[in-house]
């Protein structure tokens, strides 16, 4: 299996621009998670989906952040407008609902200048 | 209060030393993960535990469910073990993460 695939791997953008991060979960997995990692706060859950439905988005920092999962094989995390404090590594992970294992993508390294 | 606490936060060891990283958690869990992240790299799952002990090469992970505590041991440490080690627990459909232990092994 190809694993969880994220794109882009690296992005540098100017403040105020829209950023879209993409994730393809492992085929057959029905739970998808978006995490943000910073030096100060470590890994933080932003939102997770079960069967393409958002279950808990309490970790989404503010209205500038939105996430969608239009089908079982694709999810996006959008930041509009982006700000320098959004600079972080954004990880997507997938698993089977009720299973214990979780698989991470390689992360999207975002820098907002 | 964090659901998962790790110690130490930073650790420097000489090559060959035996290393222990500790993790305590406060929620009911179905599984505990030890994750490894190299500088600039992605996150790799080393172990998934729900009881007892697992061994993979020079790495050993143990968990005590009653005490809500897990340890990750590295025997005969090597500079390539230098990484951040993260403890994560699954509680329901949520994952909670420790802040990580940054390990540097000096040749």
């Amino acid at each position: 299996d190809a694993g969880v695939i994220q794109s882009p791997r690296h992005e540098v953008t100017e403040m105020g621009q829209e950023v879209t991060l993409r994730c393809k979960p492992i085929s057959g997995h029905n739970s998808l998670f978006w995490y943000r990692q910073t030096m100060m706060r470590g890994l933080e859950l932003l939102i997770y989906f079960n069967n393409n439905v958002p279950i808990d988005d309490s970790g989404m920092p503010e209205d500038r952040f939105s996430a969608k999962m239009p089908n079982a094989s694709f999810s996006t995390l959008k930041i509009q407008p982006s700000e320098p404090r959004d600079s972080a590594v954004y990880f997507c992970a997938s698993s089977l609902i009720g299973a214990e294992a979780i698989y991470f993508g390689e992360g999207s390294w975002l820098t907002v200048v | 209060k964090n659901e998962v606490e790790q110690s130490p936060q930073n650790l420097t060891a000489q090559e060959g030393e035996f290393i222990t990283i500790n993790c305590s958690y406060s929620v009911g869990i179905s599984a505990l993960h030890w994750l490894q992240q190299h500088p600039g790299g992605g996150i790799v799952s080393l172990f998934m535990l729900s009881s007892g002990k697992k061994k993979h090469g020079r790495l050993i992970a143990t968990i005590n469910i009653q005490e809500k505590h897990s340890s990750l041991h590295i025997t005969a440490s090597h500079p390539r073990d230098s990484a951040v080690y993260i403890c994560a627990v699954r509680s329901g459909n949520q994952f909670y993460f420790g802040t990580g232990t940054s390990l540097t092994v000096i040749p």
Side-chain angles (χ1 to χ4, degrees):
Chain A
D1 198 309
V4 177
I5 299 172
Q6 289 187 245
S7 65
R9 288 295 317 279
H10 299 270
E11 177 147 349
V12 181
T13 191
E14 289 186 345
M15 177 175 151
Q17 295 297 307
E18 178 180 291
V19 173
T20 299
L21 308 178
R22 297 172 177 81
C23 175
K24 178 176 168 29
I26 290 174
S27 178
H29 282 188
N30 49 15
S31 196
L32 183 141
F33 304 80
W34 281 102
Y35 292 96
R36 179 172 66 177
Q37 185 182 40
T38 60
M39 288 290 292
M40 293 296 294
R41 300 166 73 98
L43 275 162
E44 301 174 281
L45 177 67
L46 298 176
I47 185 171
Y48 78 91
F49 297 83
N50 281 353
N51 294 315
N52 315 337
V53 176
I55 303 300
D56 183 353
D57 65 354
S58 59
M60 296 285 263
E62 48 198 271
D63 291 346
R64 298 184 298 105
F65 285 69
S66 62
K68 293 182 179 179
M69 192 164 187
N71 57 62
S73 59
F74 183 67
S75 178
T76 59
L77 178 68
K78 188 173 294 187
I79 309 172
Q80 165 65 18
S82 58
E83 296 183 3
R85 62 193 167 116
D86 302 330
S87 299
V89 185
Y90 291 82
F91 285 99
C92 177
S94 72
S95 74
L96 286 168
I97 297 172
E100 298 168 352
I102 183 169
Y103 300 85
F104 286 83
E106 294 192 331
S108 292
W109 297 69
L110 174 65
T111 302
V112 183
V113 298
Chain B
K1 182 185 182 301
N2 293 331
E3 289 83 358
V4 180
E5 300 278 357
Q6 277 185 245
S7 63
Q9 194 169 2
N10 294 287
L11 182 57
T12 300
Q14 291 288 332
E15 183 174 356
E17 284 187 9
F18 181 85
I19 289 163
T20 296
I21 300 171
N22 295 299
C23 174
S24 296
Y25 54 91
S26 58
V27 294
I29 70 168
S30 58
L32 181 143
H33 298 253
W34 281 104
L35 309 172
Q36 181 191 55
Q37 185 176 29
H38 281 102
I43 296 173
V44 174
S45 179
L46 297 174
F47 291 104
M48 181 175 63
L49 292 164
S50 54
S51 65
K53 174 179 167 179
K54 286 189 176 179
K55 184 175 189 292
H56 184 250
R58 295 180 294 105
L59 302 178
I60 303 167
T62 63
I63 187 168
N64 185 318
I65 298 293
Q66 285 73 32
E67 295 186 3
K68 296 190 172 180
H69 181 268
S70 175
S71 293
L72 176 68
H73 306 286
I74 305 175
T75 61
S77 60
H78 190 276
R80 65 174 175 267
D81 298 326
S82 298
V84 175
Y85 293 84
I86 302 169
C87 175
V89 300
R90 181 154 196 163
S91 180
N93 206 36
Q94 284 269 22
F95 284 89
Y96 299 98
F97 295 86
T99 53
T101 295
S102 179
L103 171 65
T104 302
V105 181
I106 300 170

